[in-house]
Amino acid sequence: MDIYLVRIRERHDGYLYVDRKPHATTSDDYIAISHVWGTPDTIQESTVEGVAWKVSLSPGKQDILSLLRRRDVCGKEWFWMDLFCIDQTDSPSISISDQLMAIPSIYKSSRCVKILIENPVCISWQEKAIQVFERGPVDKELFYEEELRHGRSCPHLFFADPWFERLWTRQEGLYATKLDFIVLKPAPCVRGRRQLPVAQWIAHGALLAQRSMAEIFLRDKLAYHGIQPDAAEEALFSIYFDVVYRHRVNILLVYDCKPGPDPAYNPIMEAWRSWRCTTKPRDYILAVFPDVDGYQVPPEARRGSFPELFLDAIQQPTIAARFQIAAKPIDKPPNIDVAYDTFTMETTNSTIGAQHFVVSTSIELEDINATPLSLEALRDDWALAADIDRHVTLVSLSGPCTGMTRQHDSDGTGLLRQHFSETFMHVAVSQFLPQEEMTKFSLRTNGVLSFNKIADIPAKTFALELKRFLVCLICGVSLPTADTVLEAADVVRVLTPHGTLLGVIHKGTGLTAKKNEFILPCSSLWDRQGFSIGLRVNGEVCIRGRTIIPNQNVWDSIKETLSRGRTCDIDDAISGT
């Protein structure tokens, strides 16, 4: 595959310049560079000798040629770096579409991927962690807690670098088999800052989120190379230490795996889980979709908006055949969670056997009564009927359900979201922790947050925030998508012979339809979307909503009904027989 490669050379007067290789392919010997471009408010357009276009440089890369010339980076070797090797002239010898499509192969085929870490990194903590690891077996939980304790007062932790936040760098790190992290700014420890309890709690949450993004990337990488989930969990701390503290890893050598992607790897779903962002919304398509077999980058891709590229992608036959999509993209999504909210699943990779029948022809819809008094009953509905493990797996990481996004409660909405998260996710966590551990867990916010303030929040605000939270929980979406859903739909309790299911239904349908017009169909997508809420209309069934994903209690009741021959297929349900 044809690509561009460059190296840094020195003229007789000591000045450095970029030298381009006359002809290069992915079969050549070269280094690939992974880095964060920076943000629009910090990057500067610069002229670099040997490059025919202006180069965007972040503050940490202003002396880019000297940096790349370092022996621990590229030295005199040939390398690929997007700043110099994506030809942005009007008539490149390799089309821009082919250049973008080649990026996965560029990183897979490189001798090594050098990753530039521009944020300051606390050398004192790095050295202490290495000493602990070298002394023998490490108590992982204790180590993680000490790591966060250090980070609450010293912000210079390795995983806080923006490299772990950006989407392109995630892709580049996935493709690589050998990663070498270069810390550009080793820094002294700055511990000793004093913070108020709320500020400490928010800082702790920010650190948890940053470390979670690093761990999510490492889980993705292990899955990309075919390491099975159980083995990946055992290897997670080891690869975490290799990356965050040793700053290098050879995935094939150390973890006995193969170059990716593994056939079971789902590029769309795993990217959606990554929580990553990009400064250019179009890159939510251009960074990920080349990993989907059959996708083709359109000719004018770099001039397209996210909605334009999104619609182009889902209209390509290979994408339309593999993914179920509700095509209503947001113009400028803040992260990939929001960008991919309209993807529901890969239809060719369902994990549960197909089920096509009507669960019930006798259901009622009931308003949830979104008030503080109804919260306990809604939590009980969730606990008794929802497959909590599946919902937690599918929930949007940038949404309110995880409770990881912490904020001050000055306007009340942040406090409400934290309260809702602790109310509903308490059920999920309690499945795995004994009561004494749950008691410790519940004390985390004592002395920091006062949920008594909820009583002062206006009823209208409480109702809206509760419905937004429940849409995020039921549908696994982010808050911007929940707002779009609530423009046309409402949250209801679905009363069935098999239990009460929380659900979302079209507003007009819920107000005008009669009880005997509703049915509850089950499709092969039930393990991702729950049951459908169907409405009989002129001899057909129109899907007007969905429920939570049902748990084993609901299925046991359904199976008992099936054993008595009391179920029917779709045609019988339409006719009312």
Side-chain angles (χ1 to χ4, degrees):
M1 182 178 290
D2 288 344
I3 60 174
Y4 300 117
L5 291 176
V6 298
R7 62 183 174 182
I8 308 302
R9 302 199 70 181
E10 185 176 353
R11 294 193 321 213
H12 65 277
D13 58 4
Y15 283 94
L16 301 176
Y17 68 97
V18 174
D19 178 33
R20 177 171 290 192
K21 197 171 187 178
H23 178 261
T25 73
T26 50
S27 298
D28 292 2
D29 181 43
Y30 63 94
I31 294 165
I33 301 295
S34 178
H35 69 108
V36 173
W37 274 52
T39 57
D41 59 326
T42 61
I43 59 175
Q44 296 181 9
E45 297 291 321
S46 303
T47 299
V48 176
E49 187 169 352
V51 181
W53 53 86
K54 292 285 188 179
V55 176
S56 299
L57 297 177
S58 63
K61 296 193 291 285
Q62 290 299 310
D63 192 9
I64 184 69
L65 300 188
S66 296
L67 189 160
L68 293 169
R69 182 77 167 180
R70 282 171 40 173
R71 294 182 63 183
D72 62 338
V73 185
C74 296
K76 299 179 182 180
E77 303 286 340
W78 292 104
F79 66 92
W80 188 96
M81 186 179 192
D82 52 5
L83 293 176
F84 306 142
C85 298
I86 294 182
D87 191 334
Q88 301 177 46
T89 57
D90 291 336
S91 302
S93 59
I94 306 172
S95 72
I96 191 66
S97 297
D98 288 344
Q99 291 183 65
L100 293 173
M101 287 294 295
I103 288 176
S105 294
I106 288 169
Y107 282 88
K108 290 176 188 178
S109 304
S110 65
R111 181 206 317 166
C112 174
V113 173
K114 300 275 187 171
I115 297 166
L116 307 183
I117 300 297
E118 293 188 48
N119 271 15
V121 175
C122 177
I123 294 304
S124 173
W125 172 250
Q126 290 274 314
E127 292 174 348
K128 181 178 179 181
I130 290 290
Q131 291 170 4
V132 169
F133 199 82
E134 288 177 346
R135 282 202 295 264
V138 178
D139 183 326
K140 292 186 291 186
E141 296 304 320
L142 179 60
F143 178 84
Y144 281 144
E145 188 59 39
E146 286 296 318
E147 185 179 55
L148 291 179
R149 183 177 289 113
H150 185 93
R152 284 197 293 270
S153 57
C154 176
H156 301 326
L157 292 184
F158 181 88
F159 58 68
D161 189 84
W163 191 89
F164 292 99
E165 300 173 1
R166 297 299 179 85
L167 182 58
W168 273 113
T169 54
R170 171 192 180 268
Q171 302 302 112
E172 294 156 4
L174 282 183
Y175 305 141
T177 56
K178 185 178 179 183
L179 299 93
D180 190 1
F181 293 81
I182 310 297
V183 177
L184 301 181
K185 293 181 182 178
C189 184
V190 294
R191 291 190 77 178
R193 299 174 302 156
R194 290 184 177 274
Q195 294 178 315
L196 296 173
V198 172
Q200 287 183 358
W201 177 74
I202 292 173
H204 186 270
L207 285 168
L208 276 174
Q210 289 169 330
R211 188 170 70 188
S212 292
M213 292 183 77
E215 290 181 326
I216 288 168
F217 164 71
L218 296 174
R219 283 192 176 93
D220 282 356
K221 181 147 189 68
L222 294 171
Y224 184 82
H225 292 283
I227 299 177
Q228 297 303 307
D230 288 346
E233 280 303 311
E234 291 182 8
L236 183 61
F237 185 69
S238 175
I239 192 173
Y240 178 84
F241 212 90
D242 286 343
V243 167
V244 175
Y245 293 99
R246 291 197 175 104
H247 301 161
R248 61 178 56 89
V249 64
N250 186 327
I251 190 81
L252 306 187
L253 181 65
V254 177
Y255 297 96
D256 191 25
C257 55
K258 298 178 180 179
D262 183 78
Y265 187 80
N266 184 326
I268 299 297
M269 181 62 77
E270 299 306 328
W272 173 76
R273 295 182 210 269
S274 72
W275 212 355
R276 298 282 182 127
C277 65
T278 177
T279 57
K280 296 172 180 156
R282 67 177 183 235
D283 289 337
Y284 292 120
I285 300 298
L286 298 180
V288 177
F289 272 73
D291 286 345
V292 180
D293 290 339
Y295 171 75
Q296 198 64 40
V297 175
E300 300 295 322
R302 292 178 72 83
R303 295 177 182 162
S305 66
F306 169 69
E308 290 168 343
L309 292 173
F310 181 94
L311 294 174
D312 170 81
I314 66 175
Q315 289 167 3
Q316 294 189 22
T318 53
I319 306 299
R322 289 182 61 181
F323 297 97
Q324 186 180 73
I325 301 167
K328 193 174 182 180
I330 293 173
D331 286 342
K332 295 180 180 179
N335 56 52
I336 198 166
D337 286 12
V338 179
Y340 284 14
D341 262 352
T342 51
F343 286 82
T344 54
M345 69 172 294
E346 185 172 7
T347 56
T348 59
N349 194 30
S350 180
T351 57
I352 303 295
Q355 310 239 0
H356 296 275
F357 61 92
V358 175
V359 173
S360 177
T361 58
S362 175
I363 66 172
E364 294 183 53
L365 305 183
E366 183 178 277
D367 185 81
I368 63 167
N369 185 26
T371 67
L373 294 177
S374 68
L375 197 58
E376 185 175 345
L378 291 169
R379 182 202 61 197
D380 291 345
D381 290 340
W382 157 253
L384 292 172
D387 187 327
I388 294 170
D389 290 348
R390 286 192 180 278
H391 274 286
V392 171
T393 300
L394 296 172
V395 78
S396 170
L397 292 177
S398 64
C401 300
T402 62
M404 293 180 67
T405 305
R406 300 178 180 181
Q407 60 191 84
H408 289 281
D409 61 353
S410 56
D411 62 353
T413 57
L415 184 67
L416 275 177
R417 291 171 195 165
Q418 191 67 36
H419 180 49
F420 296 150
S421 175
E422 294 200 10
T423 298
F424 287 87
M425 288 302 158
H426 185 280
V427 178
V429 177
S430 66
Q431 296 179 110
F432 305 101
L433 291 180
Q435 183 57 48
E436 59 270 20
E437 292 298 319
M438 283 302 299
T439 301
K440 294 178 184 177
F441 182 79
S442 66
L443 292 174
R444 289 292 178 111
T445 55
N446 282 4
V448 177
L449 296 180
S450 174
F451 290 127
N452 293 332
K453 295 181 182 179
I454 290 174
D456 299 326
I457 294 175
K460 188 175 181 180
T461 301
F462 185 97
L464 176 60
E465 289 301 323
L466 178 55
K467 289 183 178 183
R468 295 176 80 207
F469 180 90
L470 289 174
V471 170
C472 292
L473 185 65
I474 295 166
C475 302
V477 297
S478 60
L479 283 169
T481 302
D483 290 335
T484 301
V485 169
L486 287 171
E487 289 174 7
D490 206 352
V491 184
V492 294
R493 302 174 78 233
V494 184
L495 310 182
T496 82
H498 312 293
T500 298
L501 311 176
L502 296 176
V504 177
I505 191 168
H506 182 264
K507 285 181 179 177
T509 302
L511 292 172
T512 61
K514 299 176 182 178
K515 172 184 173 181
N516 61 1
E517 293 176 332
F518 287 115
I519 63 173
L520 203 63
C522 174
S523 75
S524 59
L525 305 183
W526 72 266
D527 62 314
R528 298 294 182 95
Q529 296 184 348
F531 298 138
S532 300
I533 301 174
L535 181 68
R536 298 185 183 95
V537 179
N538 299 326
E540 297 181 347
V541 170
C542 295
I543 302 302
R544 310 301 285 169
R546 58 161 290 185
T547 72
I548 54 171
I549 301 169
N551 65 10
Q552 193 58 47
N553 293 335
V554 177
W555 278 112
D556 287 344
S557 176
I558 292 170
K559 289 175 182 177
E560 182 180 351
T561 302
L562 285 170
S563 69
R564 298 199 299 265
R566 294 186 182 178
T567 189
C568 61
D569 61 23
I570 296 290
D571 291 335
D572 290 340
I574 293 172
S575 63
T577 60

